[in-house]
Structure formats: C-alpha cells, structure tokens
C-alpha cells in the first residue's frame, strides 16, 4: 500500500486548522469555512483530472490516486465520474473496484479494505449537516468515520452514512441505506438496512471448483 505522507494541512491558517481538526475528530465544525472550502477545491481539481483520463493511462491514474488519497493499495480501479469531498481522508486497500459515479464525502476518515467492490452510484456520506436551521445555515456539520472491511460488496445505489462499519464479507443489497453497523458475513437490505440472513455454504455456486478443474486440465 502506498501512503501519502504529504501534509495537506500544512498551509492552513491557525483558524482553519482548528476547523479541520474538529472535522476529522468527529466534532461540530464550520463546513463553510474558507480554508475547508479551499481544500475541497484542491480535491475537486484532482478528481476531475482523474475522471478525464483514458483507460490506458494507468500510470497517470495511479499518480493522481496516490496524490488524492491518504493511502491506496495495489490493483485499485475507480471508474468515472468519481467525486469526493477532501480525498485525503480516504484509504483504499488492494484489489478494490469502485464502479461508476461513486461519491465519497470524506470529512471524516473513510477506510476501504481489500477486495471491496462498490457498484454504480454508491454514496459514502461521512458528514451530516446540523439539524437546527440556524446552525445549519451558518455551516455547522459533524462527520463520523465509515469503515468497509475486507470483501464487502455494496450493491447499486447503496448509501452508507457516517459512523457505520460494515463487517468483513458482508453484502449490502441494491438501494439500501445503511445507518448502523452490519456484522461480518451478512446480507443486509432495506431503508434503513437490516440484516436479512448470513451468507452460508449454500450460497456457493461451485464456480471456484469449476475454474480449478479447468485450469488443472490445461
């Protein structure tokens, strides 16, 4: 995994640094602060450049991922049009695939494990505006981390809210809204998403055995 060691906050003013630190710590912060907005614009420039690249520009795509994210593993592929809030609060493990039109609002850390698959039009929304109107119109927000453990699969149009951990190998059905933690090895569906059942040996199709037999016969 490649770690991004560049300090994205190094050029913040003291006031801006206070808001940034509150943001990533899960405290109420001013989302409309000019320094936060400036970091948002920096991320936009990077993901727009990424989305404009052709599929055969692998080195260029990799270079932008390493600049945009906090960490990125091997064999990671992200389809356009990917969008994010800050970028630098996102860590992606190896062999991850993120399909078309994914949006990640990473005001708090978003951690994506190995072999995570994300279907089209998925939203990972770590941040939330204040419920009180006066606070909300003045920029009050609060962000909570999102964790997708190894092998998670999110179906199309899934929304994951801040403060949620989805356990290893869990599958989230298309269109679900995940508001609470989902245990490992479970299928969850609905709005709000609820555990439907565990994934068991009965869900296996024999695919791996067929491929192994085919390869052994070569």
């Amino acid at each position: 995994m490649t770690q991004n060691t560049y300090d994205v906050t190094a050029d913040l003013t003291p006031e801006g640094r206070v808001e940034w630190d509150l943001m990533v710590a899960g405290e109420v912060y001013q989302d409309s602060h000019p320094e936060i907005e400036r970091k948002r614009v920096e991320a936009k420039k990077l993901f727009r450049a990424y989305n404009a690249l052709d599929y055969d520009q692998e080195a260029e795509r990799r270079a932008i991922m390493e600049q945009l994210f906090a960490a990125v593993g091997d064999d990671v592929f992200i389809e356009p049009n990917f969008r994010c809030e800050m970028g630098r609060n996102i860590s992606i493990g190896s062999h991850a695939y993120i399909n078309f039109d994914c949006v990640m609002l990473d005001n708090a850390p978003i951690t994506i494990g190995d072999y995570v698959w994300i279907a089209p039009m998925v939203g990972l929304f770590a941040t939330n505006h204040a419920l009180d109107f006066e606070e909300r119109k003045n920029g009050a927000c609060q962000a909570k981390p999102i964790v997708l453990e190894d092998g998670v699969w999110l179906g199309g149009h899934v929304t994951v809210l801040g403060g949620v951990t989805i356990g290893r190998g869990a599958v989230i059905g298309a269109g679900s809204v995940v508001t609470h933690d989902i245990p490992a090895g479970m299928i969850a569906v609905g709005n709000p998403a609820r555990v439907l059942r565990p994934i068991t040996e009965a869900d296996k199709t024999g695919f791996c055995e067929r491929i192994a037999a085919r390869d052994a016969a070569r």
Side-chain angles (χ1 to χ4, degrees):
M1 177 177 289
T2 302
Q3 301 283 340
N4 190 339
T5 59
Y6 170 70
D7 183 4
V8 73
T9 66
D11 62 346
L12 291 177
T13 65
E15 182 181 279
R17 183 59 187 256
V18 167
E19 297 305 320
W20 180 278
D21 288 346
L22 289 170
M23 177 182 74
V24 297
E27 303 294 335
V28 177
Y29 69 98
Q30 185 186 5
D31 189 65
S32 57
H33 192 281
E35 296 290 286
I36 300 297
E37 179 58 27
R38 180 162 61 85
K39 291 302 171 182
R40 187 178 287 116
V41 170
E42 290 175 10
K44 286 179 181 178
K45 290 179 179 179
L46 287 170
F47 72 65
R48 287 181 65 183
Y50 179 91
N51 290 330
L53 292 171
D54 287 333
Y55 284 94
D56 59 356
Q57 294 179 277
E58 295 180 8
E60 293 88 344
R61 292 165 71 92
R62 178 71 190 190
I64 292 177
M65 282 194 284
E66 291 181 0
Q67 186 178 358
L68 179 61
F69 301 135
V72 59
D74 299 326
D75 186 31
V76 172
F77 195 88
I78 304 173
E79 301 278 8
N81 286 308
F82 173 79
R83 287 152 288 175
C84 63
E85 189 88 7
M86 301 296 170
R88 290 303 302 277
N89 295 323
I90 299 170
S91 298
I92 304 175
S94 295
H95 314 293
Y97 177 71
I98 299 171
N99 216 320
F100 299 105
D101 294 313
C102 182
V103 178
M104 299 187 190
L105 304 186
D106 60 302
N107 302 79
I110 293 177
T111 304
I112 296 171
D114 296 339
Y115 290 98
V116 169
W117 293 352
I118 296 178
M121 298 182 181
V122 164
L124 306 181
F125 302 151
T127 195
N128 196 17
H129 295 284
L131 295 178
D132 179 82
F133 171 56
E134 291 299 323
E135 290 188 343
R136 186 166 64 249
K137 76 177 186 180
N138 283 287
C141 281
Q142 188 172 18
K144 299 294 183 182
I146 292 172
V147 177
L148 308 181
E149 295 183 352
D150 294 350
V152 165
W153 175 25
L154 305 181
H157 294 266
V158 163
T159 299
V160 181
L161 301 186
V164 165
T165 294
I166 300 178
R168 186 179 188 275
V171 175
I172 311 299
S176 298
V177 179
V178 187
T179 61
H180 296 91
D181 292 353
I182 302 297
M186 296 291 177
I187 298 172
V189 298
N191 181 6
R194 292 181 172 86
V195 172
L196 179 65
R197 63 174 178 84
I199 301 167
T200 70
E201 290 293 315
D203 292 303
K204 290 186 176 181
T205 66
F207 173 80
C208 290
E209 291 79 5
R210 180 177 67 82
I211 296 302
R214 184 193 65 188
D215 293 345
R218 287 177 176 171

